[in-house]
Amino acid sequence: MSVDVAAATGEAATAVRRKPQKRGVIADGSTRRSRTVRYVLLLLFLLFVLIPVYVVVITSFKNSADTTAARQWSLPQTWTVEPWRKAWDVLQPYMIRSLSLAIPAAIISSMIGSVNGFVLARWRFPGANIVFAFILFGMFIPYQAVMLPLRTTFTELDVTRGVPTLILAHCIYGIPICTLIFRNYYATIVPNEIIESARVDGAGLVQTYARIILPISMSGFVVTLIWQFTSVWNDFLFALFLTQQDNGPVTLGLAALAGGQKVDYAASMAGALITSFPTLLVYILLGRWFIGGLMAGALKG
Amino acid sequence: MHGRIRTWGPGALVLLPTVLLLGYFVYGLIAWSFNTSLTNRHTARKGPADYVGFENYGHLFGEDRFLNSLKNLGVLTVAFIVGTLIFGLLWALLLEKGVPGESIFRSIYLFPMAISMIASGVVWGWLLNPSQGADARGLNRLFEILHLNFLENPWWTAGSRWTTMASIALPAIWQLSGYIMALFLAGFRGIPPELREAARVDGASEFKLYRHVLFPQLSPIALSALIILGHMSLKLFDLIYAITGPNQFRTEVPAIYMWNTLLRSDQAKAAAIAIVLLAVVAVLVIPYIAYTVRQESEE
């Protein structure tokens, strides 16, 4: 660190050279003023994030006469739940299909990921790294590259169109991310010595997994379940390629509700909120782990 | 590792189903798509097709429409990555020392991540309404109300490729900046406090502390963020589908073009587009995976 850099950033430098006890300086080295600036900026960005939320919520409670250009940002003249009722009538069957799809898909891929992750982290074999790379690549592929033959394969396998097809697809293509999350999780929380001593005591892989690993896997499962539930729920591409309007998940339903010639904006907005509700609920209830899941989504996060 | 089947055999056996599944559903189907892309299967019909070599690829790269979709994708990716990294890093910087209500800020910044791109596309499609002046809707109406008329613009419907694709990137930035913030925030929190202390004792300014001590520690995270955003952007489909519909030349990217091609049952061409898309992703991702796996095995 050269001296001229300090000179170039004169103001910041003096701010720190003061003794931390001095007035106006907070323990972390920043001044009160810089802290106020930070706070104001944070609030401004909060506005940027929340503006769409405001307009969606108010629009969803308006009647169609009230959604004119001039009144778009104003509160409803008369509040009505009619758009919600309308959207719900359309979306309800889709919501049920999405639930019966996302829950099993999340559970199955999490279970496979847990076993895989354990082996890759703590029961390694020669060539495990190659297998790991082989699995990892599946996480990044654009699904367009497999979509056409996937549809043919499912037709040949005679899987029922709709929920079963999607469960299968999401389980298979969810394995890489679940494996990665569990692998990182076990690599951090399970000391190698425990596994070694279990092996010395003659415990096999199944025993070690069932007795030692599974009981401490709870938070790993929470992370993969949240991650998978959210991404399966939000998926649109598989839904579009592998199902039809009458047996598809809620993203298809919403696209249909909000598309078309004559769009009912209020109902579309209510529909967007209804569709987002389950993932938002998961996020609000399990937010702390959700963040953990997002971190795990980054390879070295 | 000890070379004894008894010790490592069960592990390999456990992974076998996964390897077989992914071997078929990832690698096998990619090979299948590639194979289709080499044929003249331009209809929905089944039965044998003739191999035409790389003819489909030749046609694609000689076609204005495909080149347009690639350029759109390039612009979209740059706008999306730059925007998201700036917002994400900025938010992390603002939060990393801790402020009152930090968890509230964090949660709200992050929440758009939980929403499907279809839902946010429905909303943003409405916000990005191109009408201006007295008839302005969406964000343009908001600018009218705030007397910021100069900010009004036609969004994705007119103007340059940059205006168009940046309008598409805007909702994506809105959705994913919080994610990048969370990554960087975790990175900042992972740096041992002693490192900061030592730098301060040595008389480093705040600026120098970040520039020379903290940022270098974050570079692995920045790399991850870049790869994640890059591959997301290359695959982006739902958002464009929801905002502009799939039939807009101005906002067409290869993923959307492939869908349009499939609607006309041109299987060989659709497969070729998909394989080009895969190749672009692979160029980005394979070196990264190789680097990650090598690093982990050294540890």
Side-chain angles (χ1 to χ4, degrees):
Chain A
M1 282 172 226
S2 62
V3 187
D4 10 327
V5 180
T9 57
E11 198 189 19
T14 33
V16 180
R17 277 201 210 102
R18 290 183 206 142
K19 289 263 159 51
Q21 289 85 354
K22 223 167 184 181
R23 267 183 38 157
V25 179
I26 298 158
D28 62 16
S30 51
T31 59
R32 268 194 213 291
R33 200 185 57 186
S34 82
R35 198 164 158 152
T36 312
V37 172
R38 259 195 288 158
Y39 218 75
V40 170
L41 283 174
L42 283 169
L43 288 171
L44 277 175
F45 286 124
L46 209 61
L47 225 56
F48 166 67
V49 177
L50 289 179
I51 275 176
V53 179
Y54 166 77
V55 74
V56 177
V57 172
I58 60 157
T59 309
S60 73
F61 287 106
K62 286 179 176 181
N63 57 43
S64 47
D66 208 9
T67 54
T68 55
R71 293 200 41 85
Q72 250 191 343
W73 292 87
S74 328
L75 291 173
Q77 275 169 323
T78 44
W79 293 74
T80 166
V81 292
E82 204 43 48
W84 284 78
R85 193 170 295 145
K86 220 158 150 186
W88 176 248
D89 281 345
V90 176
L91 292 177
Q92 190 216 357
Y94 293 96
M95 292 286 281
I96 291 166
R97 280 198 290 273
S98 271
L99 272 180
S100 63
L101 152 72
I103 294 170
I107 293 174
I108 297 169
S109 48
S110 295
M111 278 169 14
I112 301 174
S114 161
V115 180
N116 286 349
F118 162 58
V119 171
L120 286 170
R122 289 290 176 250
W123 203 280
R124 295 170 64 82
F125 52 88
N129 273 332
I130 296 167
V131 174
F132 182 49
F134 176 92
I135 295 176
L136 219 51
F137 184 63
M139 200 171 103
F140 290 101
I141 58 155
Y143 294 136
Q144 280 86 357
V146 295
M147 209 64 88
L148 255 170
L150 184 65
R151 195 155 63 176
T152 314
T153 303
F154 281 156
T155 315
E156 277 166 12
L157 285 176
D158 208 21
V159 192
T160 322
R161 280 261 168 152
V163 173
T165 352
L166 287 181
I167 291 181
L168 213 59
H170 285 298
C171 283
I172 294 166
Y173 296 101
I175 289 175
I177 178 80
C178 292
T179 301
L180 175 73
I181 292 173
F182 273 111
R183 183 189 166 279
N184 291 348
Y185 177 68
Y186 292 139
T188 15
I189 69 150
V190 184
N192 238 334
E193 294 75 47
I194 293 185
I195 307 295
E196 290 300 325
S197 58
R199 278 182 152 184
V200 170
D201 292 348
L205 185 146
V206 177
Q207 272 178 308
T208 312
Y209 178 78
R211 298 248 178 93
I212 301 176
I213 300 295
L214 200 55
I216 52 167
S217 297
M218 201 49 201
S219 43
F221 271 106
V222 173
V223 170
T224 52
L225 287 173
I226 296 170
W227 178 272
Q228 279 300 92
F229 180 85
T230 324
S231 55
V232 174
W233 186 275
N234 289 341
D235 161 73
F236 181 65
L237 195 60
F238 276 134
L240 197 60
F241 268 88
L242 299 176
T243 62
Q244 262 113 42
Q245 213 50 259
D246 59 350
N247 56 19
V250 75
T251 43
L252 274 194
L254 178 63
L257 178 73
Q261 291 302 312
K262 202 165 175 295
V263 184
D264 181 337
Y265 287 118
S268 303
M269 297 301 141
L273 288 168
I274 291 173
T275 309
S276 308
F277 186 69
T279 46
L280 278 179
L281 193 71
V282 165
Y283 167 75
I284 290 165
L285 293 180
L286 306 167
R288 220 149 47 82
W289 290 283
F290 186 79
I291 293 174
L294 296 180
M295 308 288 185
L299 290 184
K300 299 268 292 179
Chain B
M1 316 234 171
H2 309 292
R4 297 233 317 273
I5 301 245
R6 291 264 291 281
T7 47
W8 57 257
L13 208 63
V14 164
L15 280 178
L16 192 64
T18 295
V19 170
L20 291 177
L21 270 178
L22 296 182
Y24 181 79
F25 282 98
V26 173
Y27 298 89
L29 295 192
I30 286 174
W32 184 336
S33 287
F34 180 63
N35 190 49
T36 306
S37 77
L38 300 178
T39 67
N40 62 356
R41 195 181 290 281
H42 297 299
T43 57
R45 81 184 154 77
K46 297 217 166 116
D50 293 326
Y51 283 93
V52 293
F54 285 87
E55 194 186 280
N56 292 313
Y57 294 91
H59 285 164
L60 273 183
F61 283 98
E63 194 189 70
D64 283 344
R65 184 168 174 185
F66 184 64
L67 295 178
N68 167 67
S69 78
L70 280 181
K71 284 181 205 156
N72 284 348
L73 181 63
V75 172
L76 172 70
T77 302
V78 171
F80 169 58
I81 290 183
V82 171
T84 314
L85 282 180
I86 288 177
F87 275 97
L89 186 58
L90 195 60
W91 295 352
L93 276 172
L94 289 171
L95 286 175
E96 67 98 14
K97 284 177 181 169
V99 291
E102 183 200 318
S103 69
I104 296 173
F105 284 114
R106 226 175 34 204
S107 308
I108 294 180
Y109 287 166
L110 198 58
F111 99 90
M113 174 87 194
I115 294 178
S116 75
M117 290 218 161
I118 284 294
S120 89
V122 166
V123 176
W124 276 94
W126 198 59
L127 285 171
L128 300 180
N129 191 299
S131 315
Q132 295 178 49
D135 195 34
R137 292 174 162 269
L139 284 182
N140 284 349
R141 166 60 54 186
L142 183 66
F143 294 148
E144 285 270 320
I145 295 169
L146 299 172
H147 301 289
L148 297 169
N149 308 45
F150 64 95
L151 281 175
E152 285 183 58
N153 71 79
W155 304 108
W156 60 271
T157 59
S160 69
R161 195 188 300 281
W162 276 97
T163 332
T164 306
M165 294 321 284
S167 307
I168 301 293
L170 183 65
I173 295 169
W174 175 79
Q175 279 207 275
L176 287 155
S177 295
Y179 176 30
I180 300 304
M181 170 206 72
L183 290 183
F184 279 123
L185 209 49
F188 276 121
R189 301 277 152 88
I191 298 171
E194 299 83 47
L195 224 55
R196 286 173 199 248
E197 288 310 311
R200 290 215 178 95
V201 170
D202 287 349
S205 65
E206 282 294 283
F207 176 81
K208 281 171 71 182
L209 173 69
Y210 279 95
R211 169 79 183 73
H212 295 287
V213 181
L214 302 183
F215 283 155
Q217 299 273 327
L218 295 181
S219 52
I221 292 181
L223 180 67
S224 295
L226 202 67
I227 299 289
I228 292 169
L229 294 176
H231 102 283
M232 285 184 101
S233 167
L234 295 175
K235 298 196 282 193
L236 204 66
F237 175 83
D238 340 13
L239 203 56
I240 300 177
Y241 188 101
I243 293 177
T244 77
N247 293 314
Q248 292 290 337
F249 179 77
R250 349 184 101 260
T251 58
E252 192 168 70
V253 295
I256 297 272
Y257 187 23
M258 187 221 166
W259 171 247
N260 286 327
T261 311
L262 258 190
L263 286 182
R264 295 196 317 270
S265 297
D266 191 340
Q267 297 190 44
K269 189 175 175 184
I273 299 172
I275 294 295
V276 173
L277 195 59
L278 174 73
V280 179
V281 173
V283 166
L284 179 79
V285 158
I286 289 179
Y288 178 66
I289 291 181
Y291 163 81
T292 311
V293 170
R294 186 170 314 140
Q295 237 191 5
E296 303 243 326
S297 57
E298 274 166 14
E299 272 162 22

